[in-house]
Amino acid sequence: MTFKHNFKKVLSATAFAAALVVAPAANVSAATNDASSTQQSATATSQDQQASQDQAASQSSAANQSSSTSTSSATSTSTVKKTTKKAKKTTKKIKKKTSKKKAVKKVAKKTTKKKATKKAKKTSKKSTKKTTKAATAAVTASAGQSQATDQQDDAAKKAAEAAAKKAAAKKKAAAKKKAAAKKKAAAKKKAAAKKKAAAKKKAAKKSAEKAAKYWIAMRESGGYYTARNGSCYGRYQLLISYLGGDLSKKNQERTADRYVYGRYGSWVNAKRFWLAHNWY
């Protein structure tokens, strides 16, 4: 019975160790399940052979049985130790490999993240640059449009000012022309009035001259062209020598005018002199 029990233990440990050696660390659970199945199978086989083993055991001697049991037990223990050590070494190796893979994966992940961050930064920078460029272009366009609008406003303002200035100049010119026309009309009117006054004065003077001449003629001869008083003759009682032998009315008038205008300047002055001296 002890041999059977030990055989079962050895078989189970061997199967478990083999599962640990063959399977990776990630599949240790599966190897344990396989070892359990193998143990169950071995148990079934042991049960089938129990009768024959019981017979063999009864026939064997106690000394041989004890020796076999000790040898089997020692061999089994040594095998289990070796298998366990190998399994631990394999597990350690798998863990190390897994750690290395994890480290590589971590580095790859970090590199990928770094690349993604760099790419995102680059994209962000490019996008920012593009946005800035678009904003600058928009600002420039807006400034250009604003400048164009200001220029249009300035041009319109200048045009309005020029039009107003032109209208004012035209109005001023019209007012100046009107004033000049008015002044000219006034001057013309004044000249006409002056001329009229001069004509009137002249007419009045002529009338006064005529009246004064007539007055002297009436005082000197009574108005007769043939009147004679010593050496004086005619309507104005001029010296006969003044008439030059021509006693006609026309010559008497002409000679009398020449004498009066030459001596007194006018018949009016001659009349004034006559009134002061009773002769002229």
Side-chain angles (χ1 to χ4, degrees):
M1 292 298 289
T2 305
F3 176 76
K4 290 179 185 178
H5 185 68
N6 289 334
F7 179 75
K8 289 178 183 178
K9 283 184 178 180
V10 169
L11 187 61
S12 298
T14 305
F16 182 72
L20 286 174
V21 171
V22 175
N27 296 325
V28 172
S29 173
T32 306
N33 291 332
D34 290 341
S36 180
S37 299
T38 305
Q39 187 178 359
Q40 288 177 1
S41 179
T43 304
T45 306
S46 297
Q47 288 176 358
D48 291 336
Q49 293 176 355
Q50 188 174 1
S52 58
Q53 287 175 357
D54 288 338
Q55 289 177 2
S58 60
Q59 291 176 1
S60 299
S61 62
N64 290 335
Q65 192 175 20
S66 178
S67 178
S68 297
T69 303
S70 299
T71 304
S72 298
S73 181
T75 305
S76 174
T77 303
S78 178
T79 304
V80 167
K81 282 182 179 181
K82 285 181 180 180
T83 306
T84 305
K85 194 175 181 180
K86 195 173 181 181
K88 282 181 179 181
K89 195 174 181 181
T90 306
T91 305
K92 195 174 181 181
K93 196 174 181 181
I94 289 167
K95 281 182 178 180
K96 193 175 181 181
K97 195 173 181 181
T98 306
S99 299
K100 196 173 181 181
K101 280 184 178 180
K102 282 183 178 180
V104 171
K105 197 178 279 186
K106 193 175 181 181
V107 170
K109 192 176 181 181
K110 196 174 181 181
T111 307
T112 307
K113 192 176 180 181
K114 196 174 180 181
K115 282 182 179 179
T117 306
K118 196 174 180 181
K119 192 175 181 182
K121 281 183 179 180
K122 195 174 180 181
T123 307
S124 178
K125 194 174 180 181
K126 195 174 180 182
S127 178
T128 306
K129 195 174 180 181
K130 195 173 181 182
T131 306
T132 307
K133 194 175 180 181
T136 306
V139 169
T140 306
S142 179
Q145 191 174 359
S146 179
Q147 190 176 2
T149 305
D150 290 340
Q151 287 178 354
Q152 286 178 357
D153 291 341
D154 289 340
K157 194 176 180 181
K158 282 181 180 178
E161 286 177 357
K165 197 173 181 180
K166 193 176 180 181
K170 196 174 181 181
K171 192 176 180 181
K172 192 177 180 180
K176 196 174 180 180
K177 192 176 180 181
K178 192 176 180 181
K182 195 175 180 181
K183 193 176 180 180
K184 192 176 179 180
K188 195 175 180 180
K189 192 177 180 181
K190 192 177 180 180
K194 196 175 181 180
K195 192 176 179 181
K196 191 176 180 181
K200 194 175 180 181
K201 191 177 180 181
K202 191 177 179 180
K205 189 179 180 181
K206 192 175 180 180
S207 180
E209 286 291 293
K210 192 176 180 181
K213 189 177 182 180
Y214 178 77
W215 185 88
I216 289 173
M218 293 305 289
R219 292 292 182 277
E220 290 293 327
S221 63
Y224 292 101
Y225 284 100
T226 57
R228 187 166 186 167
N229 184 16
S231 59
C232 296
Y233 181 83
R235 183 181 172 87
Y236 301 101
Q237 291 297 296
L238 298 170
L239 292 170
I240 294 174
S241 59
Y242 288 172
L243 294 171
D246 186 0
L247 301 177
S248 63
K249 292 180 181 180
K250 190 175 182 180
N251 188 45
Q252 285 185 40
E253 292 289 338
R254 186 167 55 242
T255 304
D257 285 337
R258 186 167 59 243
Y259 168 76
V260 168
Y261 284 116
R263 185 180 176 96
Y264 301 104
S266 67
W267 284 99
V268 172
N269 292 336
K271 180 185 176 182
R272 195 177 291 119
F273 185 84
W274 199 100
L275 286 169
H277 302 91
N278 289 322
W279 64 275
Y280 74 105

